[in-house]
Each structure stands twice: as C-alpha cells, then as structure tokens.
Amino acid sequence: MKSATSKRLACILALAALGFLLPPKASAQYYTWGSDPASLRWSAIRTPHVRIIYPDTAAFLARRTLRYIEAVRPTIGYGFRHGPMRIPFVMHPENFESNGLVMWLPKRVEFLTSPAVASYSMPWYKQLVAHEYRHAVQYNNLNRGVIRALSYVLGQQGSTIGLLCLPIWLMEGDAVMSETEMSSFGRGLQPSFTLEYRAMGDIAGRRRNPDLWFCGSYREFIPDHYRLGYQIASYSYTRFGENIWDRVAWYGSRNPYLFFTTSISLKKFYGTSVNRLFRETFDDLRRFWDALPQTADSAMPLTELPPKNHTSYAYPMASGAGSLVALKTDFDRPSRLVRLDRASGREERLAYTGYVSSRPAMDRQGRIWWTEYRRSLLFEQRVNSRLCYADLAGGRPRTVRGHRNVLYPTPVDSAGLAWVEYNPDGRYVIVRRRPGWGVQRYEMERLTELHGLAWDNATRRLYFLVTDDSGMWIGTLDDFGRVRHVTEGAYVTLSDLRAADGRLYFGSIASGKDEAHCLDLGSGGQYRLTTSRYGSFSPSPDTQGDVLVTTYDRRGYRPAVQPFDTLHPVAYARLPRNTVNPPRLRWPVVNLDTVSYTPADSAASHARHRARRYPKALTLIKIHSWTPVAFNPFEAVDEHNVSLNLGVTLLSQNLLSNTEAFASYGWNDAEGSLFRIGVRYFGLGVRLDLEGAYGGNQNIYSLAQIDPQTGKPEYQKRPSPDKYYSVGATATLPLVFQRGYHTRQLSLSAGWNFSNGMVANVGRIRYDEDRHTITNLEYIGYKEGLHKLSFGAAYSDAVRTAHRDFLPRWGYQLSASYALNPTNRKFSDLVSLYGRIYLPGFLPHNAVIVALSYQTSIGGFKFPSGQSFLGYKSTRLLPRGFSSADIRSNNYTAASVDYQFPLCYPEGGIPSVLYFKRIRLGLGADYAQFRDLAPHGRMRWERIWSVGGDLILDVNAFRQPASATSTVKLSFYRPSTGGLSFSVGVGLPF
C-alpha cells in the first residue's frame, strides 16, 4: 500500500521553501485526488470509532472491512501512547490499481478495494486494515501539543506539519510492521521483501552519507522506503525492547519549532541517531545473511545483464525454435515484450506495452495475451484491467473491446481462451470461451481472491491460485464447474501459476526463499525445482522438457533455464521456513489470520450498525483548513503561481474528492480589500468551475496613439477606478485515451466571464485620416461591463517514460482557443494556436522541445492601418523575460527551442537535509514577432527574443522517498531588451 503522506509532505516543504525564496517569479504545484463517477449511490456506516463511506456495490466489502477494523482496534495502537484517531474510511471499488492511502485535507483513509494482483497469503482487506489503520495511530500521536494548537489556527493543514516530526520512511515501515505482526507470515517476512538488500552486500559501509538508501537513485536500483523503514523499525524494537518512535512522535509534536526533532529525540531518549540505527540495522542483517549457507543458482542463465542499467525480465515463455518471449523493463526503457534467442542471446523487441496488470500467456497460434491497467475515458478513479494481445510474427498490440475487468488470460486448447474477471462487489468469476460452446462463467465464493489461472492440456482442466482466511491454495474446476481443492490452505505465498502435461508450475516460499515448484497432478506430489542464491521466479515449462525461470542478482532479473532432473519433495506445512529473516521480537497483537467474516458476523453487524444513505449534495462543501494569508489555490494548480496577500483563505474538499472550493479575503496597500471564491466539481466527468471576485482596482481598457509630432505615446484619460468585481463559469471535458504505450488526451472547454471593466467607447472616435490621429482621444469616454466567452480544444499524445526519463521520448501537444465579447462587437475576437513536440536528443535521456504559437485579433474596431486596440491576449509562449504587456495580439508569432540533458548524478548533499539526486541543464532560445502601431498611424513589425538556460535540480528534502522527488528550476535568460531575467520554479511529483 502506498500512502499520500509523502506527497502531502513534499507539498508542505515546497510551500515552506517558497516563503524563503523571494525571486521575481515563483511557482508550485498542488496534489489533487481523482473522482469517482457521480452515478454511484453512496451509503455510510457509523460506529463510535469509525465511519465507512462506500458505494452500494461495495456494501459487502464495507461490512467485511468493518469486521477487521473492530478486530484490530484494541491492539492497532501497540507501542504508541494514543490509539487511532477517529477517521472516515472511503471505499473506491472501481479502481484496479490496488492501493490504500491515508490523507489529510480532509482527513480520511482511502481504500481502493480491488485486491492486489501480486500479493501474499493474507486477504487484501486484512492487509489494508492492518496497514492503513496503523497510520491513523501515527497521525493521532503526532496531532498533539503544539501541532494540535496549530490545527486550531490553521485547520487540518496545521496537523500536516506534524508529518515533519516523524520520518515518512518510518511511518511506512511501522505500518508494514503492523501488517506483518498481525499475520502468520506477513509482508515484512516475505523473502522477496529483503531480496534486493541481500544481493547488495555491505550496505551500511558503502558510503558515509546514507541518504541514497532513503531517497533513491537514477543510477542504480534502491529498494523503496517501505522495505527500508520496516528493517529499521523491526531492528530498533528488538534492540530497545519498545517502540522508540512513540517518544519521537511525542517529543516532535510538542517541540516542532526545533525542526530536527527526530534527531534530537533519538539522542535525548536513546543515545542514538537515524544514521546509527541505519548502520546497525544493516550491519546486523549482513552478519545474519553472511552466516547462512551459501548456495548457487541451479538454473543456467540465458543472457547477461548490463552493469549500469537495472534490468528485469519477467514471465519467460517458450516460443519455439530455441527462443523465448519475456516482458522486459529497465531504467532506460519502459516495459516491452521481447524475444530472446537462447543460443546466441540476441534480443528482438516485439512491442512496447502499457502498465501490465497480469502476466502474459501465449497460445498455439503464436498470439500473446496479457492485461493492462487503463484509466476510463472520464474518471480518474475508474481504472480497468483491459485484455490485450499481439502476434508473435509482428504487428501492433491490440485491445479487445468489451473486456474491462480481466486478469490472467489463459489460452485453452487450440482456439479457446479463459480469464478471470473481478467485479466491484468483490466477486471473482472464471470465464471460459470455447468455440462451439459459447462463454461459460464460474462464480467464486465471495470471501476468496484469485491470483492466477492456468490450463492443463493433460487433465483438460483449469487451475487457479486462491487466497482466503486459510491462506493460499491451488484449486480447480471439476467437470460440473464446482471448485475443488488441489492443495490445502497454508500461509505460504504462491505465485505465477502455469500448467502443462499433467503438472502445475508455480512460485513458492515454502523453503524460505522464492523458488520454482511443480506439482504432479497424477501423484499429488509437490517438488521444488530450483535452488537459488537469492530467488527464482515465474516458472514456465519449455518445449524441451526443462523449465524457464528468472533468477535475481544485483543487476536485476535474468531469464534462465532449470533442467528437470532434480526434484526436491516438499511436505505440506502451514507456514514456510523463516530462512532469511533474523530473529526479531514480536508484538502482542491480534493475528488477523484467525479472524473470519461469517454470515453470523454479517447479521450482527447489520443489527448493531445500520447503514444510512450518504447525502452527496449536502456534503459537497467540507471546510478542512484555513490560512493566515489570502491566495487562490486554483491558480496555484493551473498556472503554477502562488500570489499571497495578508488575509485569510478557507479551503474545502469533500470526502468523495469530487468537489473543491475556497474563499479568501485579502488586503494589500495597492488594491485594498480583495474577496475571492471558487468552486470545482468533477463528479460528472465534465469539470465545472465557478468563480467570483470583488475588490481591487477596476480594469480599464483604454486607447493610446503615437503623437506624430513628438513620437511619444498619447493615452486616453483614465477615470477614477471603482471597486472591481467579476463572476465566471467554465466547463471542461477532459477525455483520456490510454492505449498501452501511448496516452492520448483530448480536452474541450467553454467558459464565460463578466467583469465591470471600463472599456473605451470607440464608437465616439473622430479619426483624421490625413494626420492619422484621433482628434478627440480625451473625450471618447468609457463603457462599463466586459463579457468574455471562450472556447478551447487541446489534444496531446505521449509515450510512456522510463525511470531515467524526465520527458517523453516522443510526444506532442496541440491546442486552439477562440475568445470573444458577445455584447460588444467593437471588441476584437482572439484566435490562438499552440503546438509543442518532444523529440529524443543526441544521447540517451536527452530531450528536444520545440514549440510554436500564433495569435491574432479578428474583427472589432480597427484603425485604417489594421491596428486593433480592444481585444484579448494569450500568454502562451511568451519569450522568457517578457510579459503580456510587452506584446500585441496582432499576428503574434512565437517559437522556442529547448535542449535538456542530465548534467550529473551527485547523489549527495547536506546529509538528512537536502539530497541532490540529479542535476539537469537546459538550453533555450525564444523568438516572437508581432505588428505594433507606429507614428502616423502606420504598423510595424516588432521582434523580441531571449536566450539562456535552466539549471534543474532533482532533489529530496529531509530524506523524503523516491516517490516524493521534487524539482527546483533556476532559469537565467537574457531578453533582447537587455538585462537578465531570473526566476525560480518548484515542481512536485504530482
């Protein structure tokens, strides 16, 4: 499970940094959660401790989740002095990208209820409760003392400051520990959880500054902060005999002004530090692993891996003629299907893929089937798993229409196909399509999860991996479509099921490591096939009687072949051997493997806790925070601009994340009082924006001309401005077309705005054509009121990026907009066009960006020279160092060229404060030209340009994890008017 904590904290840190950086320009981005469709009907269950909000389709899942919450509540806070906070759980059943998140603003736990495809022997909902509810404990212990006082001053965003007092790696590690301690053989004990660390050798002694292990790298693979945090949390609990992070949270929440509260409290209470704990943890692990019997891989590798490009081959399959097909990913390229010649090692790319959700399989005709995560056309929280295929002989990947919730496609016989479907109500269905028989559907029991599917040609049956309260087991469908056990349930993780010739092939951790196993369907005997140094995965029979697998070493996962000549019998056991994990103290907490959800539990839950309709309309506004400054958060998102005034801002977002709003009052010396309000609604697919403003100086659109005698501008007399006000509404239809390797987006928008701006009354103009001047400029006066009606369309196409990419290797954006004033035809319309293309540079991970823009005024009042005075402007593609005041929207044409490349990978900095992961350099040049008014009523071409560069720092502050890497962009450009333009931008990873 991933937490949004790191992203929220990165936003806090960026905004704090903006308070100290005072450049001419600054920008930042905000994090926004996606929306479910408005068609869902929601209900809520309220207990004295939690509230569960769920769509009606997930009613059974909500009751089941509540059962687990009540079971863990007495011990979920173990080691902390305060238990979990009261917090709502919001369930999202239509997103296949399994996850759980704990979020502030407003506070809630988000459950994406689709079970994870790659999981272990504990049901998904138990994992979610044990992990995410532990975060509610952490948050409650941080929201104390000074932090609690700040929450009264700032609302919930004051509480988020408490996240600075407990490291994110520790929060996730502690939650993984909770998940592990509340199961028989949980996440932290899985051999794969330490796999990469075991292959790395002396981690603690590699470098003096350990920030690399906390923040990640673009040069080498670094395990994530979940793995790191768990190891440190479990070691520290064993060494000190208590949860030392309780005192760290207690001290930090009461002394946040000391800033480095983790270091201070660890030193104060335990005489240690994060660096020392890190080194002691991994020294202890290294000594334990070095003492284990050393074994070599029994499988023979089929290719070498590059030394500086962590590479993963997955799901190898025999493709005939001495070759195999596998899914390959590395740091330089996204996932793709490749064919590898087993004799020569030559590799051929077959097709790039999207984000693969379940393993590929190949039929007898040479067609490869797999599934990919695909976002729906309209809604961010409706993510499907789509059925895809590609022919081995060549051709583009294709998507099968009408199949949206598919996993584990499995060829059956010569022309049939079977797969697993998951429904939002929590039910799994096995579907089999047979020529001449049509489609057959076999519904599984409601409390089971399916994690694999295979067809055996000898027994002519489908087999599958099941997870339920008894652990994991292998099942089959008999001749009548009934589920039968092939193995008994055990808390032994099984994975990657395949079948052929009367045998099942799968991964198992029974020996204490990930190894390839097989099960003889005739005798019922299970055997271990491989012996590995670190682990072997994804077994698949080949055409020569051997077994294809992948083995792991420090460079990644490589394809290998295991001869089918040595079989190690495997006896049934409820638990695997605990081989690679050193002895650690256990928590005295409930084991969720002993907790079940029965019909009696369901009846009791309905009797105690009645479900009620959740009123969507009445809960659209939920004010969660307020700030002692006035700003527009929507501008911060859309325009990456934060403009602050003295005052107050109220921030709102509802629990269903489909409505955001703000209201602010500000004051500054130049404009006086300023009121702003804005509302956004996402639930219909069409994004609806409403905005209003009052205060500040009234906008005045006046005329000017060049005096023919002096050559200087002569301006229309401006009236004393009144208070400004405006109202506006915009509707935007964002359509996302995910097609695997490509993601295409189409956005259509329409907007209206009215303000009380004063517009020059050009109908009264008297023009002397001989002298080319307005003779009554000072007397034409103004009309009050300005309407703006705008329409826009934008389209983009970009390919997936790899780990080291910072921009798409190929992609483009096109947009067009039209703006007019429907009530004043003297006002010119504006046509604006924009295009950008992304191209690969001369070296890997270099990028070329070329952009073009054109805008011009159409219609309205014009002088004989063609000059339009009353019209709009677009700020799209202004030469850097210039503003909209420096251009005219008369045949404005602009172009820019940028070349960006990685300069170095420092992977160092100020220990525990600022980690420089990568430094990029960008070189850029801009050019623009437009027609402007010259003396004697003539027009002339004005040309402006700028050249310069950007220094872009990819950084992690305060040991934030790789997922929270931010960018600081320092821009230096010399405009054609002279001088030097400098700006700073802060970009967050969302």
Side-chain angles (χ1 to χ4, degrees), residues 46 70 78 231 266 280 318 371 454 534 542 614 707 934 959:
R46 185 186 293 271
E70 292 177 331
Y78 175 76
Q231 298 302 335
L266 286 175
E280 288 179 354
T371 60
Y534 302 115
D542 72 0
Y614 184 72
D707 190 307
R959 288 180 170 163

Side-chain angles (χ1 to χ4, degrees), residues 42-44 51 53 612-617 619 654-656:
W42 295 77
S43 296
R51 181 168 49 139
I53 302 168
R612 299 182 182 276
R613 181 64 57 200
Y614 184 72
K616 293 189 294 184
T619 56
N654 68 335
L655 290 174
L656 300 186

Side-chain angles (χ1 to χ4, degrees), residues 181-434:
E181 297 299 316
M182 289 188 171
S183 59
S184 300
F185 202 84
R187 184 178 179 184
L189 299 180
Q190 300 295 306
S192 58
F193 208 68
T194 58
L195 178 72
E196 296 89 354
Y197 284 137
R198 286 185 278 125
M200 287 178 172
D202 185 10
I203 293 172
R206 274 190 57 184
R207 55 172 62 202
R208 187 174 182 180
N209 181 359
D211 285 0
L212 168 76
W213 304 101
F214 294 86
C215 304
S217 169
Y218 290 116
R219 294 198 298 180
E220 60 180 308
F221 177 84
I222 301 296
D224 62 31
H225 56 296
Y226 293 82
R227 289 168 166 80
L228 175 75
Y230 171 76
Q231 298 302 335
I232 296 177
S234 61
Y235 170 80
S236 63
Y237 179 72
T238 299
R239 180 190 166 188
F240 295 99
E242 63 177 90
N243 179 19
I244 66 174
W245 309 104
D246 170 61
R247 290 193 182 187
V248 172
W250 178 87
Y251 185 84
S253 64
R254 286 156 177 79
N255 303 278
Y257 45 83
L258 297 178
F259 208 67
F260 297 101
T261 58
T262 300
S263 299
I264 296 171
S265 56
L266 286 175
K267 182 70 172 177
K268 176 182 178 68
F269 297 118
Y270 301 101
T272 189
S273 65
V274 171
N275 283 8
R276 185 173 177 181
L277 280 176
F278 167 80
R279 299 188 190 283
E280 288 179 354
T281 297
F282 284 96
D283 279 341
D284 181 69
L285 288 169
R286 179 177 57 84
R287 286 191 297 269
F288 179 81
W289 291 332
D290 288 348
L292 296 176
Q294 298 299 306
T295 58
D297 290 326
S298 60
M300 297 175 291
L302 296 175
T303 186
E304 291 297 319
L305 299 182
K308 296 182 179 181
N309 184 17
H310 191 269
T311 303
S312 296
Y313 290 87
Y315 316 117
M317 302 171 289
S319 59
S323 64
L324 64 87
V325 171
L327 183 70
K328 181 181 180 181
T329 309
D330 54 47
F331 276 15
D332 289 333
R333 293 288 182 270
S335 60
R336 65 267 191 202
L337 291 167
V338 299
R339 177 162 46 195
L340 181 69
D341 185 273
R342 293 171 58 170
S344 65
R346 284 183 51 192
E347 185 174 294
E348 172 193 3
R349 187 185 76 229
L350 300 176
Y352 281 109
T353 70
Y355 183 16
V356 174
S357 55
S358 64
R359 55 99 186 109
M362 188 184 307
D363 63 22
R364 295 182 182 179
Q365 288 72 41
R367 175 167 287 182
I368 305 168
W369 299 86
W370 73 95
T371 60
E372 293 180 1
Y373 293 114
R374 302 277 182 86
R375 214 203 87 168
S376 74
L377 193 65
L378 289 173
F379 299 103
E380 190 172 349
Q381 284 306 310
R382 178 178 281 171
V383 178
N384 305 307
S385 182
R386 301 295 298 273
L387 180 62
C388 306
Y389 69 89
D391 292 324
L392 190 61
R396 295 185 307 163
R398 304 284 183 178
T399 302
V400 180
R401 293 186 177 182
H403 297 280
R404 299 180 180 274
N405 300 324
V406 177
L407 296 169
Y408 314 112
T410 302
V412 176
D413 290 333
S414 59
L417 187 70
W419 60 86
V420 172
E421 288 184 359
Y422 176 78
N423 297 317
D425 64 359
R427 294 180 185 270
Y428 283 88
V429 179
I430 294 177
V431 182
R432 182 179 178 185
R433 187 180 66 198
R434 304 169 66 182

